[in-house]
Amino acid sequence: MTPEVWDLLRPFRDEAIARDVPVDDVERWLDTARPCAALTRDGDGPVVGRFGGPLLLPADVPDPAHPFVASIDLAALPADATGLSLPPDGHLLLFAFPETADDYDTMGSAVYVPAGTAVTERDRNAWNSFDFEDWKAMFEAFPQGPLRATNNVSLPCHHAVEFPGEPGSGPLPGHPRSEELV
């Protein structure tokens, strides 16, 4: 990890140790940290996309099942911003609906549109086939505008795993203090 990433993780490390989590457990947890790009409407990072805007999809892509949330211009995203093997250009369109019937429902999707692909503007409300007014109003009030990327670090946000054939769940393998560290 770079010195900048360690600087971002230092407060987490100090707090975990102050809570009596053994240093070895903290260090093993910190080894799972990955670089990420925090996308915000404010900040001083480069503009890499936008919240909202027109929904532009290739003609052969079906209407999404979730509302259009944001578009990321992959050519504008700094190459070292994430550890993901993303294409160097094109757009990543993000669709999401945060309120679902249960935690196992799909809450969103992503569509990659390669650079130079012909697109057409689509109905932003096609996902709302029942025309629920409160859902429509919620997404009309969703933030709009430029998205800026700021280099950051990501740690796991889950602390348990279900094991096949065993009742319940347990800590992540190799991380007996995962619940505390989350």
Side-chain angles (χ1 to χ4, degrees):
M1 263 187 260
T2 67
E4 295 82 20
V5 171
W6 278 116
D7 285 344
L8 292 170
L9 292 171
R10 186 170 289 114
F12 173 87
R13 182 182 186 282
D14 294 346
E15 177 72 18
I17 292 169
R19 291 182 182 204
D20 295 324
V21 177
V23 173
D24 289 347
D25 288 333
V26 175
E27 297 299 330
R28 194 168 45 258
W29 191 255
L30 292 177
D31 284 343
T32 66
R34 298 293 175 259
C36 73
L39 302 176
T40 61
R41 290 185 300 141
D42 52 9
D44 57 1
V47 173
V48 298
R50 70 172 281 114
F51 271 126
L55 174 54
L56 303 171
L57 287 169
D60 63 339
V61 173
D63 285 334
H66 300 92
F68 175 58
V69 176
S71 173
I72 300 171
D73 178 356
L74 296 173
L77 192 64
D80 62 348
T82 76
L84 302 173
S85 56
L86 296 170
D89 56 19
H91 285 84
L92 189 60
L93 307 181
L94 305 177
F95 302 88
F97 193 83
E99 298 178 17
T100 58
D102 67 45
D103 290 339
Y104 298 102
D105 285 347
T106 300
M107 294 182 192
S109 60
V111 173
Y112 170 63
V113 180
T117 301
V119 295
T120 58
E121 187 167 348
R122 302 282 188 85
D123 177 6
R124 291 177 40 93
N125 293 307
W127 61 273
N128 190 2
S129 58
F130 296 107
D131 201 28
F132 291 130
E133 285 299 318
D134 55 338
W135 287 3
K136 188 176 179 180
M138 177 176 54
F139 279 93
E140 285 176 358
F142 200 77
Q144 303 283 308
L147 271 175
R148 295 181 175 277
T150 303
N151 289 341
N152 208 326
V153 63
S154 176
L155 284 166
C157 62
H158 55 280
H159 58 81
V161 63
E162 292 185 21
F163 297 102
E166 295 182 28
S169 61
L172 296 178
H175 297 284
R177 308 292 288 264
S178 59
E179 187 168 3
E180 292 169 84
L181 290 163
V182 167

